[in-house]
Amino acid sequence: MIEFTDIYKNYGDKQALKGISFNVEAGEILGFLGPNGAGKSTALNILTGYLSASAGTAKVDGIDILENPIEAKKLIGFLPELPPLYLDMTVKEYLYFVYELKKCRLPKKQHINEICEVVKINHVLNRVIKNLSKGYRQRVGIAQSLIGNPKVLVFDEPTVGLDPKQIIEIRNLIKFLGKEHTIILSSHILPEVQQVCSRIVVINEGQIVANERTEDLIKAVEGPMKQIAKIVGPETEVLKALRELPGVKYCEILGKQDTDSVSYLIESEERIDIRKALFHSLASKGYPLIGLEGMELSLEDIFVRLVTKKQEAEKKKKTIAEQRRAN
Ligand code: ADP
C-alpha cells in the first residue's frame, strides 16, 4: 500500500534523511519510532505530499506522490504533529470546511455524522474548538483525517501532550481504525507503538536501524531487566541479600526515599524473573519490601541493543565465512 524507496531529504547542508526505504502492506499498523530529530516528521511530510524529497520515490497504492500528488493525497488522511485546526470555528463548521477543502463526494451529512460517531465527538459538535480539551482537539484532528474515507491514515505523534486517560482513549481509537485502514503511527515512545502496531520501523539520524515485526523487535532488544526496589532494613545487609539472589547481575543503592526505606537498583539476567525469590529472601530476613517497579527501556537503550545485536550478527557471519574458507 505504501512504498518508500531510497528517500533522501536535505535542508540546506543538513541531511535529514539519508536514503530510507520501507513498505507498508494493506491493513498493517506500522509504528515509526525514533528520538526527536530522527527524521520522522520529514519522512511523513514527504509521504503525505507536504514536502518534496531530494531524491527517491514515494508511492501510495501504486501512485507516485510527486508525479500525481492530487490522486495520491486523496488516498491519505494525515494528522500532523500540530493539527491544522481553526480554533475559532465550531467542530461542525470545521469538519464541513475540511469536507469542502478535500472536495469530498460522499453524502456530506451522513459521512460527517458517521465519523463523529467513530471518534466520539457528537456531543461537542457545536463547541468552539479553542474551548475543547487537548484530548478532544486531537479527536477533531483525527476526524478531519477521516474525511473522504482514505485508505491510508498517517498520525504524527498523536498522543504528545495528552494525559494518561486521553492517551489510552486515542490508542484504542487508532486500534479500532486499524481494522479498516492502513496506518502509520509515529512516536518516540516504544511502549506506545508496541501496544498498537504489528510492525515497527526504527529511525535514527535519518537512517533506518530496524524494520521488524513488533514481537521480533521486542525480543531483539530484550536484555537485562532493571527494577527499582524500596526496602526497609540495614543498607549493607539488604544489599548483600540482593546480590546473593540467583539471577541478579548487578545491584546498587540509589538513596533514601523516606525516613526508613532505601531504594536499590537491581539488574537481573535476561528472561529471569527475580520477584518471587526477592520477596521470599527479604521476608525470611525480616526486611520489608515496600515497593518494586520495572524501569522501561529508553530509546537510547534500544539503539545500543539494536546496534550491538547487528554487530554481533555480522561478526558471527564473518567467523562462519572464515571457517568455511579455512575448511
Ligand atoms: P522528528 O520528527 O523525528 O523529530 P524531523 O523530521 O522534525 O525529526 O527533523 C529531522 C532533522 O531535520 C532535525 O535535525 C531537524 O532539526 C531538521 N529539520 C527539520 N525541519 C527542518 C527545516 N525546515 N529546516 C532545517 N532543518 C530542519
Side-chain angles (χ1 to χ4, degrees), residues 11-12 14-17 34-43 81 156-157 186 203:
Y11 294 110
K14 165 98 199 165
Q15 203 173 28
L17 296 178
N36 289 325
K40 303 183 296 295
S41 296
T42 302
E81 200 173 352
D156 194 357
E157 301 264 6
S186 98
I203 174 168

Side-chain angles (χ1 to χ4, degrees), residues 3-248:
E3 294 163 77
F4 217 62
T5 315
D6 219 12
I7 298 273
Y8 287 80
K9 177 69 190 178
N10 303 326
Y11 294 110
D13 295 345
K14 165 98 199 165
Q15 203 173 28
L17 296 178
K18 303 170 185 166
I20 67 168
S21 305
F22 64 88
N23 291 343
V24 189
E25 303 300 326
E28 255 189 323
I29 306 187
L30 179 91
F32 204 50
L33 184 72
N36 289 325
K40 303 183 296 295
S41 296
T42 302
L44 298 187
N45 280 311
I46 291 172
L47 179 65
T48 48
Y50 283 78
L51 263 183
S52 58
S54 307
T57 52
K59 287 184 183 173
V60 180
D61 209 9
I63 300 174
D64 191 303
I65 290 167
L66 259 189
E67 284 173 9
N68 209 342
I70 296 175
E71 283 309 303
K73 276 187 181 179
K74 277 190 194 154
L75 298 170
I76 303 177
F78 185 30
L79 176 70
E81 200 173 352
L82 297 169
L85 301 175
Y86 288 98
L87 299 179
D88 288 323
M89 287 185 179
T90 64
V91 173
K92 194 172 170 184
E93 282 165 353
Y94 173 67
L95 293 177
Y96 275 77
F97 169 71
V98 175
Y99 178 96
E100 300 302 336
L101 209 65
K102 287 194 178 179
K103 300 193 173 76
C104 184
R105 300 218 183 281
L106 297 165
K108 193 180 332 193
K109 202 165 169 213
Q110 187 192 340
H111 181 47
I112 292 179
N113 277 349
E114 277 168 9
I115 291 174
C116 292
E117 221 160 85
V118 169
V119 302
K120 300 198 177 82
I121 52 171
N122 332 46
H123 57 294
V124 296
L125 280 181
N126 293 317
R127 297 263 298 272
V128 177
I129 296 177
K130 70 177 168 204
N131 296 333
L132 296 176
S133 69
K134 182 104 205 295
Y136 269 97
R137 285 189 198 184
Q138 205 64 331
R139 282 172 189 269
V140 176
I142 293 177
Q144 66 76 28
S145 75
L146 292 172
I147 291 178
N149 200 16
K151 288 185 181 173
V152 176
L153 297 173
V154 177
F155 297 142
D156 194 357
E157 301 264 6
T159 60
V160 161
L162 301 186
D163 67 34
K165 187 168 167 269
Q166 293 167 338
I167 290 178
I168 294 170
E169 286 169 0
I170 295 291
R171 273 185 200 156
N172 288 339
L173 175 59
I174 294 172
K175 272 194 219 167
F176 178 78
L177 293 172
K179 292 181 187 162
E180 303 262 317
H181 303 265
T182 304
I183 299 183
I184 297 190
L185 166 71
S186 98
S187 173
H188 63 281
I189 312 162
L190 177 65
E192 168 141 311
V193 287
Q194 188 181 340
Q195 281 169 30
V196 181
C197 303
S198 48
R199 198 154 55 84
I200 301 179
V201 165
V202 185
I203 174 168
N204 192 31
E205 294 181 0
Q207 282 177 312
I208 289 182
V209 289
N211 179 352
E212 315 254 2
R213 286 191 320 147
T214 305
E215 313 88 275
D216 296 338
L217 183 89
I218 300 304
K219 258 187 226 147
V221 296
E222 246 177 7
M225 301 279 296
K226 287 183 188 168
Q227 312 203 49
I228 295 176
K230 272 199 232 173
I231 300 164
V232 182
E235 288 175 23
T236 354
E237 275 93 289
V238 171
L239 192 63
K240 187 165 171 277
L242 293 176
R243 286 184 173 152
E244 281 169 357
L245 274 181
V248 169

